[in-house]
Amino acid sequence: MAEPGKAEISMEELVIDSEPSEQHRSLPAQPRQDDNWGETTTAVTGTSEHSLSQEDIVRISKDLDDSVGLDCKRYLNVALSVFLGLVVLLTPLAFLILPHLLWPDRLKACGTACEGLFISVAFKLLILLLAVWALFFRPPRAGLPRIFVFRALLATLVLLFVLSYWLFYGVRILDSQDGDYQGIVQYAVSLVDALLFIHYLAIVLLELRQLQPFFSLCVTRSTDGATQHYNLGQLSIQRAAVVILENYYKDFPVHNPAMLTASKSRAAKHLAGLKVYNVDGPGGNNAAAGIAQSQSRAMIAAAARRRDSSHNELYYEEAEHERRVRKRRARLVVAVEEAFTHIRRMQEEEQKTAPSDVMDPREAAQAIFPSMARALQKYLRTTRQQHLHSMESIQQHLAFCITNNMTPKAFLESYLTTGPTLQYGKDRWLARQWTLISEASVTSGLKDGTVFLLKCIDFNLVVTTKKIPYIQLAEEFIDPKSHKFVLRLQSETSV
């Protein structure tokens, strides 16, 4: 509900990548990752503990609640599109067949020109079929909360156009049983030509209109302030939201809530170190409110006095954390290089043995993983990435690197630097269903100063719109002769 004195805010559901969301709804309970796999890993086993976090329960329940409505809406759109496409393609054929079925005796003979029009209709219908399939029957990238205005407008235009042709055909041809079959064929050809022009209009409105950028959108993640800028054309708010989220999964680093707990724990530690004493003793019920107010004031004053020294604690804490990261990283690099050296030695030995004794990449990864598991786990814990990588995913990545003969540096790149969201597994995506919050209608176009939010469970994406300024270029002519100069040398020089 809107706050008093403010415009009503419309909240719309926006589902990105409908196929992954369906897979997510059908996924069973995810196995819980053991936090001590680096210390206890001596061999790869198939046992694991299964549990669900509160976050998974909330996400799965929300997906189950919205699954029925979203599936019905998507299938309804597909059914209407197929029905309209069949009507459009079968109408010219019906115009040509009905006279032969209803009054074949009154039709005039079709000459050479009439038979040539048959070939024209056939090839134009084939071109129209391929064009409609390429433009309209593509896999949906997202489920929009509202209808696509231009697409609905084109569908309405096509429907009215076909109905008007049918009305004219029924009044002037069916009722009078016109015997001029060549005129009927030309009438069908004119319908196909008009449909091809409407398809060209659809290409202009749906594809070409948005190519030229008009707006610069600043996207900021609310938790850590990660920011990206995108230039978009004339799009509606909901379509701009789809483009932003598609780029979010490949441009923004993965959202790591563990990195945000350090500042919260530090603030909680400062507040926990403050103690408030009631020097007056228990003064009765009348002084309870005054005591509570004095306690809060004392805590605020003490926090203000300790503010000057808190930056030193932050500095030394960050320096110590960086030192630990460098130390863990050095140990991890050495462990991985030794493991890959062992793999090369094993490969050289396997070339001398029988083919039946050769290990596949999966077995090789399981053999060398325990030697690097402890160092890798400690590094991931220090950098707070342990929840992003499971033991199974690390072994799969290691087997992939061994299969493709990759270096240790290539293997470590996925763990030393934080990658985009798509780099991690689908079970690590914290948000697949988003809520679009906008004061303006989501079907309206972007304007200068438009602000809207893309909300998920853990964070928001705040999007601000700025219009790209008009650029005025001026030309300045430079005379080519102005660059010429004469170098004069004196004939007399000092000895």
Side-chain angles (χ1 to χ4, degrees):
M1 297 179 61
E3 297 181 3
K6 293 185 179 180
E8 184 178 357
I9 298 178
S10 60
M11 302 180 63
E12 307 292 347
E13 293 297 330
L14 183 62
V15 182
I16 299 301
D17 197 356
S18 57
E19 293 299 328
S21 63
E22 289 181 355
Q23 296 175 2
H24 176 70
R25 288 193 293 268
S26 62
L27 284 174
Q30 295 291 337
R32 183 177 180 180
Q33 178 181 337
D34 184 11
D35 292 336
N36 298 320
W37 53 262
E39 301 176 358
T40 59
T41 301
T42 56
V44 179
T45 63
T47 60
S48 62
E49 296 181 359
H50 296 267
S51 64
L52 278 177
S53 64
Q54 185 67 25
E55 179 182 287
D56 295 333
I57 295 175
V58 173
R59 185 167 59 234
I60 293 174
S61 61
K62 184 174 177 60
D63 289 341
L64 291 177
D65 293 338
D66 299 336
S67 60
V68 178
L70 293 174
D71 290 341
C72 293
K73 181 180 179 180
R74 189 181 65 175
Y75 292 140
L76 180 60
N77 292 334
V78 173
L80 291 177
S81 300
V82 171
F83 173 75
L84 184 59
L86 291 176
V87 169
V88 168
L89 294 175
L90 295 179
T91 294
L93 299 178
F95 287 171
L96 299 177
I97 295 174
L98 285 179
H100 286 283
L101 297 178
L102 299 180
W103 60 94
D105 298 337
R106 301 182 55 181
L107 293 178
K108 297 180 181 179
C110 186
T112 304
C114 180
E115 293 176 354
L117 292 177
F118 281 131
I119 301 177
S120 175
V121 170
F123 278 98
K124 288 180 180 179
L125 283 178
L126 179 61
I127 294 173
L128 181 62
L129 175 63
L130 296 176
V132 170
W133 169 78
L135 183 61
F136 294 103
F137 289 93
R138 292 177 291 184
R141 298 180 302 172
L144 300 180
R146 299 287 181 89
I147 62 173
F148 190 1
V149 176
F150 285 135
R151 191 162 184 169
L153 178 63
L154 290 170
T156 305
L157 177 62
V158 170
L159 184 60
L160 294 177
F161 189 76
V162 173
L163 289 178
S164 63
Y165 259 78
W166 269 110
L167 182 62
F168 185 84
Y169 184 83
V171 173
R172 299 298 300 270
I173 298 177
L174 290 180
D175 291 346
S176 61
Q177 295 185 354
D178 191 0
D180 186 9
Y181 191 68
Q182 183 175 356
I184 298 174
V185 175
Q186 291 178 349
Y187 183 72
V189 171
S190 67
L191 172 60
V192 178
D193 292 338
L195 292 175
L196 288 174
F197 280 109
I198 293 178
H199 186 272
Y200 171 75
L201 177 63
I203 294 176
V204 172
L205 293 179
L206 302 182
E207 301 295 334
L208 300 181
R209 182 175 177 269
Q210 65 190 28
L211 295 181
Q212 184 178 2
F214 281 92
F215 302 96
S216 177
L217 276 65
C218 177
V219 184
T220 305
R221 189 157 57 189
S222 60
T223 52
D224 55 359
T227 304
Q228 293 287 342
H229 296 268
Y230 302 103
N231 291 341
L232 299 181
Q234 296 179 352
L235 294 174
S236 61
I237 294 178
Q238 62 179 359
R239 293 192 67 199
V242 172
V243 176
I244 288 171
L245 290 178
E246 288 176 347
N247 288 278
Y248 166 79
Y249 283 107
K250 69 179 183 66
D251 292 341
F252 277 77
V254 64
H255 181 256
N256 192 355
M259 298 297 294
L260 306 176
T261 58
S263 60
K264 295 180 181 179
S265 62
R266 185 165 50 250
K269 182 178 65 175
H270 290 328
L271 293 178
L274 300 177
K275 295 183 179 180
V276 180
Y277 299 94
N278 184 10
V279 296
D280 297 332
N285 297 329
N286 296 330
I291 292 174
Q293 184 177 4
S294 62
Q295 289 178 353
S296 61
R297 290 178 179 176
M299 293 182 67
I300 295 174
R305 287 193 298 271
R306 296 188 61 178
R307 181 179 56 189
D308 295 336
S309 62
S310 61
H311 68 277
N312 291 327
E313 298 179 7
L314 176 60
Y315 171 78
Y316 288 112
E317 181 180 347
E318 290 182 350
E320 177 64 19
H321 177 71
E322 293 177 358
R323 186 191 67 82
R324 291 179 59 194
V325 169
R326 290 195 300 268
K327 182 179 179 181
R328 303 297 186 192
R329 177 171 179 169
R331 289 181 177 178
L332 175 60
V333 170
V334 172
V336 172
E337 289 179 351
E338 292 178 354
F340 273 75
T341 303
H342 181 64
I343 283 291
R344 296 191 191 97
R345 191 182 305 113
M346 291 175 59
Q347 290 176 350
E348 294 176 356
E349 294 177 357
E350 287 173 356
Q351 293 177 357
K352 304 177 182 179
T353 60
S356 59
D357 298 334
V358 176
M359 297 176 60
D360 61 355
R362 180 68 177 177
E363 294 176 352
Q366 293 176 355
I368 67 171
F369 178 71
S371 63
M372 68 174 73
R374 184 178 179 85
L376 180 58
Q377 187 198 31
K378 287 186 176 181
Y379 177 80
L380 294 179
R381 282 183 175 179
T382 305
T383 57
R384 300 182 179 92
Q385 300 182 63
Q386 68 274 13
H387 66 285
L388 298 176
H389 305 279
S390 63
M391 183 176 65
E392 182 65 24
S393 65
I394 295 174
Q395 289 183 355
Q396 291 177 358
H397 181 57
L398 181 58
F400 176 80
C401 294
I402 295 174
T403 303
N404 295 278
N405 197 21
M406 300 173 72
T407 61
K409 184 177 181 181
F411 169 76
L412 289 173
E413 188 65 23
S414 300
Y415 310 104
L416 299 182
T417 58
T418 303
T421 307
L422 286 177
Q423 179 179 330
Y424 302 91
K426 295 178 182 178
D427 54 337
R428 305 301 175 190
W429 297 359
L430 299 181
R432 294 178 185 172
Q433 183 148 350
W434 298 76
T435 302
L436 175 59
I437 304 177
S438 174
E439 294 185 356
S441 175
V442 295
T443 57
S444 60
L446 293 174
K447 298 179 181 178
D448 188 17
T450 300
V451 179
F452 58 91
L453 271 69
L454 293 169
K455 183 179 181 181
C456 68
I457 298 176
D458 298 312
F459 58 90
N460 300 334
L461 295 179
V462 183
V463 184
T464 56
T465 307
K466 296 293 183 181
K467 188 176 181 180
I468 297 178
Y470 178 78
I471 301 174
Q472 180 68 40
L473 294 178
E475 180 185 5
E476 181 179 355
F477 177 75
I478 300 177
D479 189 2
K481 297 181 179 180
S482 61
H483 297 287
K484 295 181 179 181
F485 60 94
V486 178
L487 179 62
R488 296 180 179 178
L489 299 177
Q490 295 180 359
S491 58
E492 297 180 357
T493 58
S494 59
V495 179

